[in-house]
Structures are given as C-alpha cells and as structure tokens.
Amino acid sequence: MLSRITLPPHLLLNNFMGAVPSHHCDTSALDDQGLFWNLTREQKLAVALPAEPDGSPSSCRMFAKPQYQHLYGQNSSEDAATVPCPSGWVYDNSTFRSTIATEWDLVCSQKWMNQATATIFFIGVMLGAPLSGFLSDRYGRRPLLLVSYLGSILFSLLSAFSTSYIMFVIMRFFTGVALAGIAIISFVLNVEWVSIEHRTFSGIIICLDVTIGNCIGVGIAYCVNEWRMLILAVTSPLVLSVIAWRWLPESARWLLANGKAAAAHHYIMKCAEVNSRTKCLENVTPDTLLEYAETECKDKTYTFVDLFKTPNIRKLSICIGLIWFGVQFTYFGICLNIAGFGLSLYLTQLTFACIEFPSKICVYFFVEKVGRRPSEMGALLLTGLCLLINLFIAKEKWIFRTVMAVLGKALSEASCANLYLYTTELYPTVVRQNGLGYSSFVAWVGVSMSPLVMLLEDVWQLLPHIVYCAVAVGSGLLILLLPETLNTRLPELIEDIEKPKEHSTKEIH
C-alpha cells in the first residue's frame, strides 16, 4: 500500500509540475532604455503588447515598437509589427512558485516540450511494464519489487535536481520504467497470496490505495508549489516501502510454478503460523505441494512469445490487450484534460479523486455478485455514454459538464480497478506477470496517445470527445469474447487455458 500510494501523484504530476501560469513578454528592456519610467504597469502592457480577442495581453508576442497611441484610447494598431518575446517572459507566480514551464520557458513555440515531458514519462512506464513483467516471472516478484522501489527513488531524486531540460526528461523516463514495476508486481503478489473467496476483496480493495494516493497527491500539490520539492514529496513514501519490504513474502504460487517447492513450503508455513492454521499443514511436505501443483515443467522459461503460441491464450492476449488500450486511453483522456469545467485545477482533481471511493466500493459488490465480465462491460459502455452526453451540453453549463465528467471518470476508474483483477485471474501463473506486463505495455501506448488526440480539435472541435467515446464503447463490446472468472481457481499452467475442463476443480487452500 505504501508504494502504490506514490503511483497516482507521479502519473498525474505533470498537471501541476507542468502547469503554465499566465504569462506575457518581459518588457523590462524598455524600462532600461528610459521609455517607460513614468507609466503604470497596465499602461506599459497596453503600449508594449498586442491584445488577444478577449482583451487580455498577448502571451507570446510584443510590438516591435511601443504603441503610445493606446494611452489615449486609440487602438488602431492592427498593422503594427509584432515580434516573439526577445527578453523572455514574465509569469504570474500567485498559484505556482515555479514549474518546469517557468524554469525552462516551455511556452509559446516551445510549449510542445512541456507536453512531451508527460509523453516521455508514459513511454517509460510503457516500456517498464513488459520488462518488469518478464523479469519478475523469471526471477521472482519480491526481488524485482525492491529493484523497482530503489529505482523509483533514485531517478526521482535525479529528476528533482536536474540542471537541464534534457536531463530532466531522461530521468523522468527512467522513473516511469521503475514505477511500472511497482504497479504490476505489487498487485500480482497481493492476488497470488489469497484464496478464491477473498480474491475479489483483495483485488479491488487494494486499488483504494491508488485513490488515497490521488487525494494525498492533490493535497501535496496544493501545499508544495515548487516543482522540485513536489517531486521529492510525492516520492517520499517509497522510503517506508523499502523498510517494509523485508516483511514481504515471495509468491508461493510463483515458487511452486518454478519448482521451488522448499521455498514455497517455507512461506506457506509462515503464513499458517501467522493465521494459526499450522495443524492444517502437518502432513504437507514440499513434495506434496509439487505433486498437487502439477509443475512438471519447472525448468521451462516462459516469455512473451508464450502469450501467443497456442490458440486460446492467443485469443485471450489479443482481446485483453485491446481492452487495456481502450480503458487506459479513455481514463487518461478524462484525467489529463481536467481544465475547462469551471473549477480550479486543485478542486477538479480532488473531485475526480474522491469519486473513486464510491466507484470502487460499488465495483467490489458488482464483481462479487454479478461477475467480472458484465461489470467491466457495463462500466465501459456507461463511460462512453457519459462522454456522448457531454458532447451535447453547452460549455456555458459547466456544472452539468462537470457532473457528467466526474461520473464518466468514476465509471472509467471502476473499469480500471476491475480490469486489473480480471486480467490477473485470466492469465496462468507461469506467464501472469508477462501477461500483465504486456497488457500494461499496450495500455500505456493508449495513454501516450491520449493527450495527442486533443490536437484533433483543430480539425473539428468535437472530434477528440467522439474518439474517446468510440474507444470506450468498442472496448466494452470486446469483453463479450472473454470468459467469466468469478469463483474459479487461478490457472497455473498454459495447459489450464488450453484444456480448462481438465484443470478446473482444484484450488490450493
């Protein structure tokens, strides 16, 4: 829980760290020439800066020569030559003391570099997911989780003390790689330690720590308005995670699937001691566990290729990949475009975070009573419906737009929470981390593309929202091709997927 709290603040950090405050060209050079010595600030801006259509001073250009006629109410300067800001910019620091935009002037012609920061970070997460999945399936969940902890701390520190924009984006890339390991390994390790009757509770309730992290992240961002300190603040819980790591057990399922029966027996006995169940295991030996788990192929090394070798798991992998793409594409499309709802950045983000509590609690009851498949499909289709309704609400009615956006965010978050559990239950133990890593990779492709879809506004203002809506609905319909996993045992081998009837009744309690 301690480590997963840090995930949402980092994922949405660019909303605050990359915020662009109000700005205009620096006119202090004209002061040095003695031209503006007796003018007020408003008069200086009126003389030096062209006005935008809404009457505000231009953010990116200034007049080549001062337009003194503006002091007398004469605004006929349409033909006056303008130039890009020659001396940099002046920023409004009332909300943010410093951001990466103000640090390196990532505005106007260089504003794409600000957006690129988030995209490069997401690419790091995208590549880190399959890498950590492969390594944790090969070397174990526990050691790779520690590597992810230490890597996240190291690269976050380096990014906070970056001396240039290039150094910063490189460090953010590697931070994303490390954080991806925390996201998927911690979830799988948690689910692999619980039995069928507790798997829904464990798989859904663990997602509440992400919600808690969202709320804490907004609070930290509100209190810490300097971007370097903000990175350090949201990373700090990982120090406690490193300390707590010593008490984490390795996955007994992974140990058994890899023929490490003695180690699995050791951890299972420790689990029994903690829960006062040692009498139940008096006759259980490492050999008994191996025989029960049916792990004859202990020396085989599984890779991503195994996700596509045989028909059933190939179909499973393709469908899950497309669904993950759609879910995360839609979710971050909503999360990363939170402006324009009539509320402040902090209040909108906090509202989006708080709505996750009731949505995840509802998900728990739905997936437990109705099932994983109908719950996932319903959440995605209703998300698409909310996005569709918002297309027909005028921008002036920001209250209704905010309500529909928050509801869509809640449903999208519900689909994310359920999908982690659903995917973990669908893949067999020997390729579970590979499968989740592959799914996360495809999902982060969607996340990386999601902010860029907003550029389609130049083609048609409603086109980005139509794309988000269509992807959500299409992903929801794909769920029909997947099986239900409610009250079924976790598959251990790929053969359990290809021949489910022969391996459907046993569960290690």
Side-chain angles (χ1 to χ4, degrees):
M1 178 177 179
L2 289 171
S3 63
R4 290 173 62 84
I5 281 176
T6 66
L7 295 176
H10 269 286
L11 294 178
L12 299 176
L13 195 58
N14 215 62
N15 280 347
F16 305 102
M17 178 181 64
V20 181
S22 299
H23 56 281
H24 58 76
C25 294
D26 186 0
T27 61
S28 58
L30 298 176
D31 286 336
D32 295 338
Q33 298 173 22
L35 300 177
F36 285 179
W37 64 274
N38 62 344
L39 298 182
T40 65
R41 178 180 177 276
E42 290 72 19
Q43 289 174 329
K44 291 177 182 179
L45 296 181
V47 168
L49 304 177
E52 298 289 353
D54 62 358
S56 61
S58 174
S59 300
C60 300
R61 301 188 72 83
M62 64 183 296
F63 291 120
K65 295 181 179 179
Q67 303 296 303
Y68 292 108
Q69 68 271 20
H70 291 181
L71 296 176
Y72 309 103
Q74 301 175 16
N75 298 322
S76 56
S77 57
E78 290 80 3
D79 298 329
T82 62
V83 294
C85 302
S87 304
W89 289 263
V90 174
Y91 298 95
D92 178 6
N93 295 325
S94 59
T95 302
F96 302 99
R97 195 170 73 180
S98 73
T99 69
I100 61 171
T102 63
E103 179 90 8
W104 291 300
D105 288 332
L106 306 182
V107 294
C108 298
S109 63
Q110 297 195 90
K111 66 180 180 180
W112 65 270
M113 296 172 68
N114 197 349
Q115 290 294 335
T117 303
T119 299
I120 291 171
F121 171 75
F122 290 147
I123 291 174
V125 180
M126 178 179 69
L127 297 178
L131 178 63
S132 59
F134 170 75
L135 293 175
S136 62
D137 264 348
R138 185 162 188 176
Y139 299 108
R141 292 24 171 162
R142 190 170 182 265
L144 263 296
L145 195 56
L146 180 61
V147 170
S148 298
Y149 288 167
L150 297 177
S152 299
I153 293 173
L154 173 63
F155 293 118
S156 293
L157 284 172
L158 291 174
S159 63
F161 292 103
S162 297
T163 56
S164 68
Y165 174 78
I166 297 298
M167 177 182 177
F168 174 74
V169 294
I170 292 174
M171 292 304 104
R172 284 296 288 168
F173 171 83
F174 286 110
T175 302
V177 172
L179 287 171
I182 297 176
I184 67 173
I185 297 172
S186 61
F187 189 90
V188 170
L189 181 60
N190 182 71
V191 171
E192 285 184 341
W193 261 109
V194 297
S195 58
I196 289 177
E197 60 268 26
H198 298 106
R199 207 160 62 216
T200 303
F201 180 86
S202 176
I204 299 299
I205 296 304
I206 191 178
C207 292
L208 285 176
D209 51 24
V210 176
T211 305
I212 294 171
N214 258 325
C215 296
I216 292 176
V218 177
I220 292 175
Y222 183 79
C223 297
V224 182
N225 58 5
E226 201 280 319
W227 71 270
R228 296 180 188 271
M229 294 304 299
L230 180 59
I231 294 177
L232 297 178
V234 300
T235 307
S236 57
L238 286 177
V239 177
L240 297 177
S241 300
V242 173
I243 298 172
W245 176 85
R246 61 170 296 185
W247 291 288
L248 280 178
E250 180 57 275
S251 168
R253 290 183 183 274
W254 178 86
L255 291 169
L256 282 175
N258 286 270
K260 303 178 186 291
H265 185 264
H266 167 73
Y267 282 116
I268 290 174
M269 290 302 296
K270 287 184 67 176
C271 177
E273 290 174 8
V274 170
N275 292 286
S276 302
R277 295 290 189 273
T278 51
K279 290 185 178 180
C280 301
L281 298 179
E282 287 179 347
N283 299 321
V284 176
T285 65
D287 291 335
T288 307
L289 290 175
L290 265 185
E291 180 182 354
Y292 199 76
E294 302 177 11
T295 52
E296 295 88 356
C297 52
K298 62 183 179 181
D299 295 326
K300 177 175 173 57
T301 299
Y302 291 88
T303 65
F304 296 106
V305 178
D306 293 287
L307 299 176
F308 302 94
K309 271 187 177 179
T310 50
N312 286 349
I313 199 167
R314 185 187 307 123
K315 173 187 172 183
L316 178 69
S317 298
I318 292 173
C319 288
I320 287 179
L322 291 173
I323 293 167
W324 271 75
F325 176 92
V327 168
Q328 297 290 68
F329 178 88
T330 306
Y331 176 77
F332 278 90
I334 298 173
C335 289
L336 296 176
N337 295 287
I338 63 174
F341 293 115
L343 300 175
S344 72
L345 177 66
Y346 298 106
L347 189 55
T348 304
Q349 190 67 65
L350 182 62
T351 304
F352 276 12
C354 290
I355 197 64
E356 293 181 10
F357 283 103
S359 72
K360 287 180 178 177
I361 293 173
C362 290
V363 166
Y364 168 68
F365 289 104
F366 269 96
V367 298
E368 182 70 14
K369 302 299 181 182
V370 180
R372 279 62 159 152
R373 187 170 71 163
S375 297
E376 185 68 23
M377 183 171 65
L380 282 169
L381 293 179
L382 288 174
T383 299
L385 178 62
C386 290
L387 293 173
L388 180 64
I389 292 174
N390 240 357
L391 290 175
F392 300 98
I393 301 178
K395 286 189 175 182
E396 294 76 22
K397 299 181 179 179
W398 61 267
I399 295 179
F400 298 103
R401 287 177 58 81
T402 302
V403 169
M404 295 310 301
V406 169
L407 184 57
K409 166 67 165 53
L411 291 164
S412 183
E413 174 61 32
S415 68
C416 288
N418 183 28
L419 191 58
Y420 263 100
L421 174 63
Y422 194 25
T423 303
T424 303
E425 293 177 336
L426 285 169
Y427 280 117
T429 299
V430 292
V431 291
R432 184 166 293 124
Q433 286 280 198
N434 272 308
L436 203 58
Y438 148 76
S439 302
S440 296
F441 172 83
V442 179
W444 286 101
V445 172
V447 172
S448 301
M449 292 175 60
S450 189
L452 303 179
V453 172
M454 293 307 296
L455 299 176
L456 295 176
E457 282 185 327
D458 296 336
V459 180
W460 182 30
Q461 189 175 15
L462 298 180
L463 187 55
H465 306 284
I466 292 175
V467 172
Y468 289 129
C469 177
V471 170
V473 172
S475 302
L477 295 177
L478 268 177
I479 302 290
L480 294 171
L481 300 178
L482 296 178
E484 178 57 69
T485 59
L486 178 62
N487 294 327
T488 61
R489 67 176 287 248
L490 289 178
E492 304 295 342
L493 306 174
I494 291 179
E495 287 76 9
D496 295 341
I497 301 294
E498 299 302 324
K499 301 176 182 179
K501 292 183 179 179
E502 299 179 10
H503 299 267
S504 60
T505 60
K506 289 167 49 178
E507 172 68 91
I508 300 176
H509 295 279

